[in-house]
Amino acid sequence: MLYILEVLFCSGLLLAFYRLLLVRKVSFRACRRYLVAAVFLSAVIPALDIPLYPARTVVYPLPLIAAPPAENFVQTTGELPVAVPVVPSGWRRILRPMAVGGYLTAVFLSLGFLAVRMVGIRRLRRRSRLTDCGAYTLAEHPQIATPFSFLRTVFLGGGYEGRRRMIVLCHEAGHVRHRHSAERIAVELVRSLFWFNPFVWIAGRWLQEVHEWEADRDVLDAGYDLTEYRTVIFFTNSSAIIRI
């Protein structure tokens, strides 16, 4: 329980520092790296035994007491005393396995959902028409409702032509270029282990926002008009996609 409380305190403190001093004040790359590092550090720092002050050795002089003669000892038995193990109370014996079992069940379910999503994306890629675009691979399939990216693959459905197609691909290529998927996977793994920590969920949502802002900036830096880009984003509803 002490470790859990320290994890909550550490993660909350790191996110508060990010929200107050870093967001919209530093580059998107710095925000991404800080959020990913904060998620990991909030789990590592409480596990470390770091002394706040240097240890001091204090020597207290003790008086010497002479031992009594050996003949004054009376040996009553030859057996040594046996330590009696402390048996926890009944409710502790019941609640502890239930708590551990519930925690592990939630961890396995979270990891299982993540694995299912990744397998589904891999199957979708196999069924798609693949085109090598150099920096990324374009996977096109009619069943893809909204564009998204995963690792070095951009997934695109039908109905995207002309400048609309170019803008969407530029946006998704930004996700691929900055390796946003790898960061999301790392945060998802930590969140599966610390699913009880609300600050990890908040960090994941903020990291996704930074990813979208950085991809939007890449589109505008490429020379596309802001009004046109907003129109494309509105119709594709790409901001509602939960990317891995």
Side-chain angles (χ1 to χ4, degrees), residues 54-221:
R56 294 185 305 170
T57 303
V58 180
V59 179
Y60 295 95
L62 297 177
L64 297 178
I65 302 176
E71 58 270 11
N72 292 339
F73 289 97
V74 179
Q75 184 176 4
T76 57
T77 176
E79 299 179 356
L80 297 176
V82 180
V84 179
V86 178
V87 181
S89 58
W91 65 272
R92 289 185 178 181
R93 287 184 295 177
I94 297 176
L95 291 181
R96 182 175 298 178
M98 291 180 59
V100 175
Y103 166 78
L104 293 179
T105 301
V107 170
F108 290 144
L109 287 176
S110 181
L111 293 176
F113 289 148
L114 178 60
V116 169
R117 291 164 57 190
M118 295 178 65
V119 170
I121 293 176
R122 184 175 181 180
R123 291 178 178 176
L124 179 61
R125 188 180 189 276
R126 290 179 178 177
R127 298 196 305 264
S128 302
R129 180 168 59 89
L130 303 179
T131 303
D132 187 6
C133 299
Y136 62 91
T137 300
L138 177 61
E140 299 180 84
H141 196 277
Q143 293 183 355
I144 301 176
T146 48
F148 69 97
S149 60
F150 179 71
L151 298 179
R152 293 190 69 259
T153 303
V154 173
F155 294 84
L156 188 66
Y160 292 91
E161 303 295 339
R163 288 183 61 84
R164 183 186 180 192
R165 178 187 178 92
M166 296 172 59
I167 290 176
V168 171
L169 291 180
C170 183
H171 178 91
E172 299 302 332
H175 289 296
V176 174
R177 180 168 55 256
H178 299 297
R179 298 180 177 88
H180 291 166
S181 296
E183 296 175 352
R184 290 295 306 278
I185 292 175
V187 173
E188 288 277 354
L189 292 176
V190 177
R191 190 169 63 183
S192 298
L193 298 178
F194 296 89
W195 52 265
F196 54 86
N197 187 358
F199 297 109
V200 178
W201 295 81
I202 295 175
R205 186 173 70 250
W206 289 353
L207 180 64
Q208 182 181 351
E209 292 178 353
V210 175
H211 288 170
E212 295 300 328
W213 293 339
E214 191 169 29
D216 294 342
R217 173 54 59 187
D218 290 346
V219 175
L220 298 179
D221 291 343

